[in-house]
Amino acid sequence: MFEVRVEADFAAAHFLRDYNGKCENLHGHNYKVYAHVRGEKLNEGGMLMDFTQLKGALRTVCKSIDHTNLNDLEVFNQNPSAERIAMFIYNGIIAECKKNGVDLSDEPGKTTPVLFAVDVFETDTSRARYSI
């Protein structure tokens, strides 16, 4: 099994509803995001996937939420936890890649590359992962 990983970052504000602690107040993070793709076969060029394609998709999704108050985005249902942000970015990468003719979704028996995880770091020591 082969794996590639790319990373991007973005800055955003949020607060957590239904939470008792300092994170219930509006605050911000400089998020770091990793996108992981894996697969069993390499292409003719000896690569699992072109880093440029994956990085471009990840950066496009991160740019869409950069310097925002994540609570203002309906998709997070007023609770933009790191877990929900990871799922949002995962789904965004799948959609961006499909627009560019690359299918990273998972299906039984698929032999082409699959996006299997997105990690979102709020700090260097706090990470949430969304994976298949």
Side-chain angles (χ1 to χ4, degrees):
M1 186 72 69
F2 297 96
E3 179 185 335
V4 296
R5 185 195 85 187
V6 297
E7 63 183 72
D9 54 43
F10 69 97
H14 75 145
F15 60 91
L16 299 176
R17 294 169 48 114
D18 307 315
Y19 180 84
N20 294 316
K22 64 182 183 178
C23 292
E24 68 186 322
N25 299 313
L26 182 64
H27 63 283
H29 297 283
N30 292 314
Y31 292 92
K32 172 80 67 186
V33 182
Y34 296 162
H36 304 262
V37 171
R38 69 177 168 199
E40 296 179 8
K41 291 176 142 184
L42 301 179
N43 65 19
E44 303 78 33
M47 296 182 290
L48 179 64
M49 179 179 186
D50 184 344
F51 284 123
T52 303
Q53 289 177 317
L54 182 57
K55 227 183 317 185
L58 174 58
R59 287 179 178 169
T60 297
V61 177
C62 288
K63 185 177 180 182
S64 75
I65 55 178
D66 187 39
H67 283 80
T68 64
N69 178 347
L70 298 171
N71 292 76
D72 292 341
L73 303 177
E74 194 172 309
V75 69
F76 296 122
N77 193 30
Q78 283 296 309
N79 265 325
S81 63
E83 294 86 348
R84 285 183 169 161
I85 297 166
M87 184 173 66
F88 171 82
I89 294 171
Y90 177 95
N91 291 329
I93 292 169
I94 295 286
E96 279 298 312
C97 284
K98 276 187 182 175
K99 285 195 308 193
N100 295 312
V102 178
D103 181 9
L104 293 179
S105 61
D106 187 31
E107 335 174 326
K110 186 175 180 199
T111 59
T112 55
V114 171
L115 178 65
F116 79 93
V118 168
D119 296 326
V120 172
F121 288 82
E122 285 190 346
T123 69
D124 289 340
T125 60
S126 300
R127 168 189 62 87
R129 171 175 276 191
Y130 181 81
S131 64
I132 55 167

